[in-house]
Amino acid sequence: MKKITFFIIALLIFTVSNFVSESFAATKHSYTAPVVTAYVGLTSGHGATYGFYNVQYKTIAVHKDSSNKPVIPFGTDINCDIALRLPTASGTKYVSTYSVTDTGAGLAGDWFDVYYGTDNSTNRYWADQFGTEKNVSYSATF
């Protein structure tokens, strides 16, 4: 009887502690990107080492911290408060959720770049048409 009671108490403690630790495992972070731009390049960005590949119109690059890691971890989804207007060869797309798969450099702050596909004249043209969005509010949970 003591073994059963001990087992039930241990199971209860494990279950409660697991729920508590999971609730603190991720935190929602809110940002405002001073600029959002578009870029073209390889499908194997910096996150490819970890299994996160660039996908046209669905993934983004973010800036790196001082240890050369992305400030928002690879694989994290970001959610823009308002969908971004993405001009494309097949018409305009409105996208509000992206996944972090790459990093870039050169800009300060919480900017991000939308991946417009492999580097060719068509994708470069449409990335240029995207231009620059300013003051884009977004959030990420990690």
Side-chain angles (χ1 to χ4, degrees), residues 61-93:
V62 298
H63 62 289
K64 300 176 272 190
D65 64 17
S66 59
S67 65
N68 218 25
K69 294 181 181 174
V71 295
I72 299 173
F74 291 130
T76 302
D77 287 338
I78 69 141
N79 298 294
C80 297
D81 291 353
I82 298 172
L84 297 180
R85 182 182 174 277
L86 307 180
T88 73
S90 60
T92 301
K93 296 179 181 293

Side-chain angles (χ1 to χ4, degrees), residues 7-26:
F7 176 76
I8 291 172
I9 291 171
L11 184 62
L12 185 60
I13 290 171
F14 173 78
T15 303
V16 169
S17 67
N18 193 32
F19 284 125
V20 170
S21 65
E22 284 183 24
S23 66
F24 293 106

Side-chain angles (χ1 to χ4, degrees), residues 32-70:
T32 299
V35 292
V36 174
T37 57
Y39 77 107
V40 296
L42 301 173
T43 57
S44 57
H46 295 113
T49 303
Y50 306 100
F52 302 106
Y53 292 89
N54 297 337
V55 178
Q56 189 175 39
Y57 314 125
K58 295 183 181 187
T59 60
I60 60 170
V62 298
H63 62 289
K64 300 176 272 190
D65 64 17
S66 59
S67 65
N68 218 25
K69 294 181 181 174

Side-chain angles (χ1 to χ4, degrees), residues 31-36 82 132-138:
Y31 304 94
T32 299
V35 292
V36 174
I82 298 172
T132 302
E133 290 288 327
K134 295 188 180 196
N135 299 318
V136 175
S137 296
Y138 66 97

Side-chain angles (χ1 to χ4, degrees), residues 77-126:
D77 287 338
I78 69 141
N79 298 294
C80 297
D81 291 353
I82 298 172
L84 297 180
R85 182 182 174 277
L86 307 180
T88 73
S90 60
T92 301
K93 296 179 181 293
Y94 292 88
V95 181
S96 60
T97 301
Y98 302 89
S99 183
V100 177
T101 61
D102 206 351
T103 59
L107 298 172
D110 298 317
W111 61 270
F112 65 88
D113 288 334
V114 177
Y115 179 66
Y116 253 74
T118 55
D119 190 0
N120 61 45
S121 60
T122 300
N123 290 342
R124 258 182 280 142
Y125 171 82
W126 289 106

